[in-house]
mmCIF file of all heavy atoms in Angstrom:
data_model
loop_
_atom_site.group_PDB
_atom_site.id
_atom_site.type_symbol
_atom_site.label_atom_id
_atom_site.label_comp_id
_atom_site.label_asym_id
_atom_site.label_seq_id
_atom_site.Cartn_x
_atom_site.Cartn_y
_atom_site.Cartn_z
ATOM 1 N N GLU E 19 96.480 101.426 103.378
ATOM 2 C CA GLU E 19 97.586 102.117 104.053
ATOM 3 C C GLU E 19 98.425 101.111 104.847
ATOM 4 O O GLU E 19 97.920 100.424 105.733
ATOM 5 C CB GLU E 19 97.039 103.185 104.998
ATOM 6 C CG GLU E 19 98.126 103.973 105.708
ATOM 7 C CD GLU E 19 97.596 104.954 106.737
ATOM 8 O OE1 GLU E 19 96.357 105.105 106.824
ATOM 9 O OE2 GLU E 19 98.403 105.554 107.456
ATOM 10 N N ILE E 20 99.695 101.038 104.517
ATOM 11 C CA ILE E 20 100.635 100.204 105.265
ATOM 12 C C ILE E 20 101.753 101.113 105.747
ATOM 13 O O ILE E 20 102.599 101.543 104.960
ATOM 14 C CB ILE E 20 101.187 99.056 104.397
ATOM 15 C CG1 ILE E 20 100.029 98.171 103.900
ATOM 16 C CG2 ILE E 20 102.189 98.217 105.192
ATOM 17 C CD1 ILE E 20 100.459 97.015 103.024
ATOM 18 N N PRO E 21 101.751 101.477 107.032
ATOM 19 C CA PRO E 21 102.726 102.444 107.540
ATOM 20 C C PRO E 21 104.168 101.970 107.353
ATOM 21 O O PRO E 21 104.439 100.764 107.238
ATOM 22 C CB PRO E 21 102.372 102.553 109.031
ATOM 23 C CG PRO E 21 100.973 102.050 109.140
ATOM 24 C CD PRO E 21 100.827 101.014 108.077
ATOM 25 N N GLU E 22 105.082 102.915 107.339
ATOM 26 C CA GLU E 22 106.508 102.576 107.235
ATOM 27 C C GLU E 22 106.921 101.718 108.435
ATOM 28 O O GLU E 22 106.499 101.963 109.560
ATOM 29 C CB GLU E 22 107.354 103.851 107.191
ATOM 30 C CG GLU E 22 108.807 103.601 106.862
ATOM 31 C CD GLU E 22 109.587 104.880 106.651
ATOM 32 O OE1 GLU E 22 108.976 105.971 106.665
ATOM 33 O OE2 GLU E 22 110.823 104.798 106.481
ATOM 34 N N ASN E 23 107.707 100.684 108.152
ATOM 35 C CA ASN E 23 108.213 99.746 109.171
ATOM 36 C C ASN E 23 107.092 98.951 109.858
ATOM 37 O O ASN E 23 107.275 98.455 110.973
ATOM 38 C CB ASN E 23 109.050 100.474 110.230
ATOM 39 C CG ASN E 23 110.280 101.121 109.635
ATOM 40 O OD1 ASN E 23 110.986 100.516 108.828
ATOM 41 N ND2 ASN E 23 110.538 102.374 109.995
ATOM 42 N N ALA E 24 105.957 98.840 109.203
ATOM 43 C CA ALA E 24 104.838 98.101 109.788
ATOM 44 C C ALA E 24 105.177 96.615 109.939
ATOM 45 O O ALA E 24 105.872 96.033 109.102
ATOM 46 C CB ALA E 24 103.599 98.248 108.910
ATOM 47 N N SER E 25 104.672 96.028 111.013
ATOM 48 C CA SER E 25 104.759 94.574 111.180
ATOM 49 C C SER E 25 103.543 93.965 110.498
ATOM 50 O O SER E 25 102.406 94.348 110.774
ATOM 51 C CB SER E 25 104.799 94.201 112.664
ATOM 52 O OG SER E 25 103.693 94.778 113.357
ATOM 53 N N VAL E 26 103.799 93.027 109.584
ATOM 54 C CA VAL E 26 102.743 92.452 108.747
ATOM 55 C C VAL E 26 102.753 90.934 108.891
ATOM 56 O O VAL E 26 103.805 90.306 108.748
ATOM 57 C CB VAL E 26 102.956 92.825 107.262
ATOM 58 C CG1 VAL E 26 101.905 92.148 106.385
ATOM 59 C CG2 VAL E 26 102.921 94.344 107.072
ATOM 60 N N ILE E 27 101.591 90.348 109.159
ATOM 61 C CA ILE E 27 101.466 88.890 109.135
ATOM 62 C C ILE E 27 100.539 88.513 107.984
ATOM 63 O O ILE E 27 99.454 89.058 107.825
ATOM 64 C CB ILE E 27 100.954 88.313 110.477
ATOM 65 C CG1 ILE E 27 100.927 86.776 110.407
ATOM 66 C CG2 ILE E 27 99.608 88.892 110.890
ATOM 67 C CD1 ILE E 27 100.756 86.089 111.758
ATOM 68 N N ASP E 28 101.007 87.582 107.164
ATOM 69 C CA ASP E 28 100.240 87.077 106.034
ATOM 70 C C ASP E 28 99.671 85.718 106.446
ATOM 71 O O ASP E 28 100.409 84.749 106.622
ATOM 72 C CB ASP E 28 101.168 86.943 104.819
ATOM 73 C CG ASP E 28 100.423 86.588 103.540
ATOM 74 O OD1 ASP E 28 99.221 86.294 103.613
ATOM 75 O OD2 ASP E 28 101.061 86.594 102.472
ATOM 76 N N VAL E 29 98.357 85.670 106.625
ATOM 77 C CA VAL E 29 97.684 84.497 107.189
ATOM 78 C C VAL E 29 97.246 83.555 106.060
ATOM 79 O O VAL E 29 96.511 83.958 105.163
ATOM 80 C CB VAL E 29 96.478 84.928 108.042
ATOM 81 C CG1 VAL E 29 95.773 83.703 108.622
ATOM 82 C CG2 VAL E 29 96.924 85.862 109.170
ATOM 83 N N GLY E 30 97.727 82.305 106.129
ATOM 84 C CA GLY E 30 97.453 81.358 105.051
ATOM 85 C C GLY E 30 98.149 81.781 103.775
ATOM 86 O O GLY E 30 97.570 81.783 102.692
ATOM 87 N N THR E 31 99.415 82.104 103.899
ATOM 88 C CA THR E 31 100.159 82.761 102.818
ATOM 89 C C THR E 31 100.387 81.897 101.591
ATOM 90 O O THR E 31 100.606 82.407 100.501
ATOM 91 C CB THR E 31 101.512 83.275 103.363
ATOM 92 O OG1 THR E 31 102.208 83.971 102.331
ATOM 93 C CG2 THR E 31 102.373 82.140 103.884
ATOM 94 N N GLY E 32 100.357 80.563 101.743
ATOM 95 C CA GLY E 32 100.545 79.700 100.575
ATOM 96 C C GLY E 32 101.925 79.863 99.967
ATOM 97 O O GLY E 32 102.936 79.594 100.597
ATOM 98 N N ALA E 33 101.963 80.357 98.734
ATOM 99 C CA ALA E 33 103.234 80.554 98.037
ATOM 100 C C ALA E 33 103.831 81.933 98.290
ATOM 101 O O ALA E 33 104.764 82.351 97.598
ATOM 102 C CB ALA E 33 103.029 80.350 96.539
ATOM 103 N N GLY E 34 103.292 82.643 99.290
ATOM 104 C CA GLY E 34 103.861 83.934 99.669
ATOM 105 C C GLY E 34 103.096 85.136 99.169
ATOM 106 O O GLY E 34 103.615 86.256 99.189
ATOM 107 N N PHE E 35 101.840 84.919 98.753
ATOM 108 C CA PHE E 35 101.042 86.032 98.224
ATOM 109 C C PHE E 35 99.994 86.460 99.239
ATOM 110 O O PHE E 35 99.318 85.604 99.806
ATOM 111 C CB PHE E 35 100.364 85.617 96.916
ATOM 112 C CG PHE E 35 101.327 85.088 95.885
ATOM 113 C CD1 PHE E 35 101.164 83.815 95.370
ATOM 114 C CD2 PHE E 35 102.408 85.846 95.466
ATOM 115 C CE1 PHE E 35 102.043 83.307 94.429
ATOM 116 C CE2 PHE E 35 103.304 85.343 94.529
ATOM 117 C CZ PHE E 35 103.122 84.072 94.008
ATOM 118 N N PRO E 36 99.869 87.764 99.481
ATOM 119 C CA PRO E 36 100.501 88.877 98.776
ATOM 120 C C PRO E 36 101.812 89.374 99.367
ATOM 121 O O PRO E 36 102.444 90.256 98.802
ATOM 122 C CB PRO E 36 99.448 89.983 98.923
ATOM 123 C CG PRO E 36 98.877 89.748 100.301
ATOM 124 C CD PRO E 36 98.830 88.244 100.442
ATOM 125 N N SER E 37 102.244 88.840 100.484
ATOM 126 C CA SER E 37 103.223 89.575 101.288
ATOM 127 C C SER E 37 104.670 89.520 100.809
ATOM 128 O O SER E 37 105.432 90.451 101.060
ATOM 129 C CB SER E 37 103.158 89.091 102.742
ATOM 130 O OG SER E 37 103.486 87.729 102.815
ATOM 131 N N VAL E 38 105.093 88.449 100.137
ATOM 132 C CA VAL E 38 106.491 88.412 99.691
ATOM 133 C C VAL E 38 106.739 89.413 98.562
ATOM 134 O O VAL E 38 107.719 90.185 98.621
ATOM 135 C CB VAL E 38 106.926 86.981 99.319
ATOM 136 C CG1 VAL E 38 108.330 86.999 98.715
ATOM 137 C CG2 VAL E 38 106.905 86.079 100.551
ATOM 138 N N PRO E 39 105.891 89.487 97.519
ATOM 139 C CA PRO E 39 106.072 90.575 96.557
ATOM 140 C C PRO E 39 105.986 91.956 97.214
ATOM 141 O O PRO E 39 106.712 92.884 96.843
ATOM 142 C CB PRO E 39 104.921 90.365 95.560
ATOM 143 C CG PRO E 39 104.623 88.911 95.646
ATOM 144 C CD PRO E 39 104.823 88.558 97.090
ATOM 145 N N LEU E 40 105.114 92.080 98.198
ATOM 146 C CA LEU E 40 104.977 93.339 98.931
ATOM 147 C C LEU E 40 106.273 93.694 99.660
ATOM 148 O O LEU E 40 106.722 94.849 99.651
ATOM 149 C CB LEU E 40 103.833 93.196 99.938
ATOM 150 C CG LEU E 40 103.144 94.452 100.432
ATOM 151 C CD1 LEU E 40 102.506 95.225 99.296
ATOM 152 C CD2 LEU E 40 102.082 94.073 101.461
ATOM 153 N N LYS E 41 106.891 92.710 100.279
ATOM 154 C CA LYS E 41 108.165 92.916 100.982
ATOM 155 C C LYS E 41 109.273 93.310 100.000
ATOM 156 O O LYS E 41 110.122 94.150 100.323
ATOM 157 C CB LYS E 41 108.538 91.625 101.730
ATOM 158 C CG LYS E 41 109.942 91.584 102.320
ATOM 159 C CD LYS E 41 110.096 92.467 103.529
ATOM 160 C CE LYS E 41 111.467 92.251 104.194
ATOM 161 N NZ LYS E 41 111.708 93.207 105.293
ATOM 162 N N LEU E 42 109.264 92.720 98.809
ATOM 163 C CA LEU E 42 110.259 93.097 97.802
ATOM 164 C C LEU E 42 110.042 94.540 97.343
ATOM 165 O O LEU E 42 111.008 95.259 97.081
ATOM 166 C CB LEU E 42 110.181 92.143 96.602
ATOM 167 C CG LEU E 42 110.630 90.706 96.861
ATOM 168 C CD1 LEU E 42 110.321 89.822 95.657
ATOM 169 C CD2 LEU E 42 112.121 90.644 97.194
ATOM 170 N N TYR E 43 108.796 94.953 97.262
ATOM 171 C CA TYR E 43 108.474 96.315 96.833
ATOM 172 C C TYR E 43 108.649 97.317 97.969
ATOM 173 O O TYR E 43 109.035 98.469 97.729
ATOM 174 C CB TYR E 43 107.036 96.352 96.333
ATOM 175 C CG TYR E 43 106.688 97.580 95.524
ATOM 176 C CD1 TYR E 43 107.090 97.698 94.203
ATOM 177 C CD2 TYR E 43 105.935 98.613 96.079
ATOM 178 C CE1 TYR E 43 106.762 98.818 93.446
ATOM 179 C CE2 TYR E 43 105.603 99.734 95.331
ATOM 180 C CZ TYR E 43 106.020 99.828 94.015
ATOM 181 O OH TYR E 43 105.688 100.945 93.266
ATOM 182 N N ARG E 44 108.377 96.861 99.189
ATOM 183 C CA ARG E 44 108.489 97.703 100.388
ATOM 184 C C ARG E 44 109.388 97.010 101.401
ATOM 185 O O ARG E 44 108.913 96.364 102.343
ATOM 186 C CB ARG E 44 107.094 97.924 100.993
ATOM 187 C CG ARG E 44 106.191 98.909 100.270
ATOM 188 C CD ARG E 44 106.447 100.342 100.741
ATOM 189 N NE ARG E 44 106.406 100.440 102.198
ATOM 190 C CZ ARG E 44 105.290 100.652 102.927
ATOM 191 N NH1 ARG E 44 104.128 100.803 102.302
ATOM 192 N NH2 ARG E 44 105.333 100.726 104.241
ATOM 193 N N PRO E 45 110.711 97.113 101.236
ATOM 194 C CA PRO E 45 111.647 96.387 102.114
ATOM 195 C C PRO E 45 111.540 96.772 103.585
ATOM 196 O O PRO E 45 112.017 96.025 104.452
ATOM 197 C CB PRO E 45 113.021 96.771 101.546
ATOM 198 C CG PRO E 45 112.756 97.181 100.130
ATOM 199 C CD PRO E 45 111.422 97.818 100.148
ATOM 200 N N ASP E 46 110.929 97.925 103.893
ATOM 201 C CA ASP E 46 110.818 98.364 105.285
ATOM 202 C C ASP E 46 109.878 97.485 106.106
ATOM 203 O O ASP E 46 109.962 97.456 107.334
ATOM 204 C CB ASP E 46 110.315 99.808 105.338
ATOM 205 C CG ASP E 46 108.952 99.978 104.670
ATOM 206 O OD1 ASP E 46 108.894 99.922 103.433
ATOM 207 O OD2 ASP E 46 107.938 100.157 105.392
ATOM 208 N N ILE E 47 108.982 96.755 105.435
ATOM 209 C CA ILE E 47 107.983 95.938 106.141
ATOM 210 C C ILE E 47 108.662 94.823 106.935
ATOM 211 O O ILE E 47 109.585 94.173 106.462
ATOM 212 C CB ILE E 47 106.985 95.342 105.126
ATOM 213 C CG1 ILE E 47 106.070 96.436 104.572
ATOM 214 C CG2 ILE E 47 106.155 94.226 105.753
ATOM 215 C CD1 ILE E 47 105.229 95.982 103.390
ATOM 216 N N LYS E 48 108.190 94.608 108.158
ATOM 217 C CA LYS E 48 108.658 93.486 108.993
ATOM 218 C C LYS E 48 107.652 92.345 108.799
ATOM 219 O O LYS E 48 106.512 92.435 109.246
ATOM 220 C CB LYS E 48 108.745 93.904 110.451
ATOM 221 C CG LYS E 48 109.721 95.052 110.709
ATOM 222 C CD LYS E 48 109.716 95.449 112.172
ATOM 223 C CE LYS E 48 110.701 96.576 112.444
ATOM 224 N NZ LYS E 48 110.287 97.856 111.819
ATOM 225 N N LEU E 49 108.107 91.272 108.163
ATOM 226 C CA LEU E 49 107.188 90.277 107.629
ATOM 227 C C LEU E 49 107.163 88.977 108.425
ATOM 228 O O LEU E 49 108.205 88.440 108.791
ATOM 229 C CB LEU E 49 107.572 89.973 106.172
ATOM 230 C CG LEU E 49 106.713 88.947 105.430
ATOM 231 C CD1 LEU E 49 105.256 89.391 105.383
ATOM 232 C CD2 LEU E 49 107.255 88.742 104.020
ATOM 233 N N THR E 50 105.952 88.473 108.651
ATOM 234 C CA THR E 50 105.730 87.143 109.212
ATOM 235 C C THR E 50 104.799 86.376 108.284
ATOM 236 O O THR E 50 103.761 86.902 107.859
ATOM 237 C CB THR E 50 105.107 87.230 110.621
ATOM 238 O OG1 THR E 50 106.017 87.920 111.494
ATOM 239 C CG2 THR E 50 104.840 85.848 111.185
ATOM 240 N N LEU E 51 105.182 85.137 107.959
ATOM 241 C CA LEU E 51 104.426 84.294 107.036
ATOM 242 C C LEU E 51 103.873 83.097 107.794
ATOM 243 O O LEU E 51 104.635 82.354 108.426
ATOM 244 C CB LEU E 51 105.339 83.802 105.903
ATOM 245 C CG LEU E 51 106.000 84.885 105.058
ATOM 246 C CD1 LEU E 51 107.200 84.310 104.308
ATOM 247 C CD2 LEU E 51 105.005 85.475 104.078
ATOM 248 N N LEU E 52 102.563 82.899 107.732
ATOM 249 C CA LEU E 52 101.932 81.795 108.455
ATOM 250 C C LEU E 52 101.212 80.882 107.475
ATOM 251 O O LEU E 52 100.446 81.345 106.642
ATOM 252 C CB LEU E 52 100.949 82.341 109.491
ATOM 253 C CG LEU E 52 100.246 81.302 110.371
ATOM 254 C CD1 LEU E 52 100.013 81.857 111.779
ATOM 255 C CD2 LEU E 52 98.904 80.855 109.786
ATOM 256 N N ASP E 53 101.468 79.578 107.612
ATOM 257 C CA ASP E 53 100.741 78.600 106.804
ATOM 258 C C ASP E 53 100.661 77.280 107.573
ATOM 259 O O ASP E 53 101.561 76.935 108.337
ATOM 260 C CB ASP E 53 101.418 78.377 105.453
ATOM 261 C CG ASP E 53 100.448 77.800 104.426
ATOM 262 O OD1 ASP E 53 99.787 78.592 103.721
ATOM 263 O OD2 ASP E 53 100.330 76.563 104.339
ATOM 264 N N SER E 54 99.585 76.553 107.318
ATOM 265 C CA SER E 54 99.353 75.300 108.049
ATOM 266 C C SER E 54 100.064 74.108 107.422
ATOM 267 O O SER E 54 100.158 73.046 108.038
ATOM 268 C CB SER E 54 97.853 75.006 108.124
ATOM 269 O OG SER E 54 97.311 74.852 106.819
ATOM 270 N N LEU E 55 100.568 74.262 106.191
ATOM 271 C CA LEU E 55 101.227 73.151 105.498
ATOM 272 C C LEU E 55 102.743 73.323 105.539
ATOM 273 O O LEU E 55 103.272 74.302 105.018
ATOM 274 C CB LEU E 55 100.749 73.079 104.039
ATOM 275 C CG LEU E 55 101.205 71.853 103.234
ATOM 276 C CD1 LEU E 55 100.630 70.570 103.826
ATOM 277 C CD2 LEU E 55 100.776 71.989 101.777
ATOM 278 N N ASN E 56 103.436 72.372 106.147
ATOM 279 C CA ASN E 56 104.875 72.510 106.328
ATOM 280 C C ASN E 56 105.638 72.547 105.002
ATOM 281 O O ASN E 56 106.677 73.198 104.898
ATOM 282 C CB ASN E 56 105.412 71.375 107.204
ATOM 283 C CG ASN E 56 106.798 71.671 107.740
ATOM 284 O OD1 ASN E 56 107.060 72.772 108.219
ATOM 285 N ND2 ASN E 56 107.702 70.720 107.646
ATOM 286 N N LYS E 57 105.115 71.859 103.974
ATOM 287 C CA LYS E 57 105.785 71.892 102.671
ATOM 288 C C LYS E 57 105.841 73.310 102.121
ATOM 289 O O LYS E 57 106.799 73.682 101.433
ATOM 290 C CB LYS E 57 105.065 70.969 101.686
ATOM 291 C CG LYS E 57 105.270 69.481 101.970
ATOM 292 C CD LYS E 57 104.537 68.621 100.954
ATOM 293 C CE LYS E 57 104.759 67.142 101.238
ATOM 294 N NZ LYS E 57 104.027 66.276 100.267
ATOM 295 N N ARG E 58 104.813 74.088 102.399
ATOM 296 C CA ARG E 58 104.822 75.485 101.951
ATOM 297 C C ARG E 58 105.809 76.306 102.774
ATOM 298 O O ARG E 58 106.487 77.187 102.245
ATOM 299 C CB ARG E 58 103.417 76.082 102.043
ATOM 300 C CG ARG E 58 102.419 75.460 101.089
ATOM 301 C CD ARG E 58 101.137 76.288 101.021
ATOM 302 N NE ARG E 58 100.063 75.539 100.385
ATOM 303 C CZ ARG E 58 98.948 75.152 100.980
ATOM 304 N NH1 ARG E 58 98.744 75.454 102.255
ATOM 305 N NH2 ARG E 58 98.024 74.490 100.318
ATOM 306 N N ILE E 59 105.893 76.027 104.058
ATOM 307 C CA ILE E 59 106.839 76.744 104.914
ATOM 308 C C ILE E 59 108.272 76.468 104.469
ATOM 309 O O ILE E 59 109.117 77.374 104.423
ATOM 310 C CB ILE E 59 106.639 76.361 106.396
ATOM 311 C CG1 ILE E 59 105.281 76.858 106.901
ATOM 312 C CG2 ILE E 59 107.766 76.905 107.263
ATOM 313 C CD1 ILE E 59 105.111 78.369 106.912
ATOM 314 N N ILE E 60 108.569 75.227 104.122
ATOM 315 C CA ILE E 60 109.904 74.875 103.611
ATOM 316 C C ILE E 60 110.191 75.675 102.337
ATOM 317 O O ILE E 60 111.294 76.227 102.159
ATOM 318 C CB ILE E 60 110.000 73.360 103.350
ATOM 319 C CG1 ILE E 60 109.944 72.596 104.675
ATOM 320 C CG2 ILE E 60 111.282 73.012 102.589
ATOM 321 C CD1 ILE E 60 109.757 71.096 104.518
ATOM 322 N N PHE E 61 109.207 75.750 101.444
ATOM 323 C CA PHE E 61 109.358 76.560 100.228
ATOM 324 C C PHE E 61 109.634 78.017 100.575
ATOM 325 O O PHE E 61 110.532 78.649 100.006
ATOM 326 C CB PHE E 61 108.090 76.454 99.366
ATOM 327 C CG PHE E 61 107.983 77.512 98.304
ATOM 328 C CD1 PHE E 61 108.736 77.422 97.142
ATOM 329 C CD2 PHE E 61 107.130 78.599 98.471
ATOM 330 C CE1 PHE E 61 108.648 78.400 96.159
ATOM 331 C CE2 PHE E 61 107.033 79.586 97.489
ATOM 332 C CZ PHE E 61 107.795 79.484 96.330
ATOM 333 N N LEU E 62 108.865 78.573 101.496
ATOM 334 C CA LEU E 62 109.001 79.991 101.841
ATOM 335 C C LEU E 62 110.350 80.299 102.484
ATOM 336 O O LEU E 62 110.958 81.337 102.195
ATOM 337 C CB LEU E 62 107.859 80.412 102.768
ATOM 338 C CG LEU E 62 106.468 80.403 102.125
ATOM 339 C CD1 LEU E 62 105.385 80.499 103.197
ATOM 340 C CD2 LEU E 62 106.328 81.535 101.118
ATOM 341 N N ASP E 63 110.824 79.413 103.351
ATOM 342 C CA ASP E 63 112.148 79.604 103.953
ATOM 343 C C ASP E 63 113.229 79.645 102.877
ATOM 344 O O ASP E 63 114.111 80.509 102.885
ATOM 345 C CB ASP E 63 112.449 78.479 104.953
ATOM 346 C CG ASP E 63 111.722 78.653 106.279
ATOM 347 O OD1 ASP E 63 111.412 79.806 106.639
ATOM 348 O OD2 ASP E 63 111.456 77.635 106.950
ATOM 349 N N SER E 64 113.151 78.704 101.955
ATOM 350 C CA SER E 64 114.126 78.644 100.869
ATOM 351 C C SER E 64 113.985 79.853 99.944
ATOM 352 O O SER E 64 114.981 80.437 99.504
ATOM 353 C CB SER E 64 113.937 77.348 100.084
ATOM 354 O OG SER E 64 114.870 77.254 99.038
ATOM 355 N N LEU E 65 112.755 80.248 99.653
ATOM 356 C CA LEU E 65 112.506 81.405 98.799
ATOM 357 C C LEU E 65 113.096 82.678 99.394
ATOM 358 O O LEU E 65 113.777 83.442 98.696
ATOM 359 C CB LEU E 65 110.998 81.577 98.598
ATOM 360 C CG LEU E 65 110.551 82.831 97.834
ATOM 361 C CD1 LEU E 65 110.997 82.769 96.380
ATOM 362 C CD2 LEU E 65 109.039 83.012 97.938
#
């Protein structure tokens, strides 16, 4: 269960899984992406 307009943090998101596809499917989600590798963060910002 993910309530409408839920705030979601994806911990160790890597290439954005599962939360970026989830955000595309459920645009109401308020998304935060966390990763320890800056190269992945650069990818996610651009994505």
Side-chain angles (χ1 to χ4, degrees):
E19 182 185 354
I20 301 179
E22 189 173 355
N23 298 315
S25 54
V26 176
I27 183 166
D28 187 352
V29 180
T31 183
F35 306 122
S37 62
V38 174
L40 203 60
K41 170 73 173 174
L42 291 172
Y43 196 77
R44 284 274 309 273
D46 59 287
I47 289 170
K48 299 178 179 68
L49 180 59
T50 298
L51 301 161
L52 182 146
D53 201 90
S54 61
L55 188 64
N56 196 46
K57 288 180 179 179
R58 294 192 194 115
I59 293 296
I60 292 169
F61 164 77
L62 293 166
D63 283 333
S64 181
L65 174 67

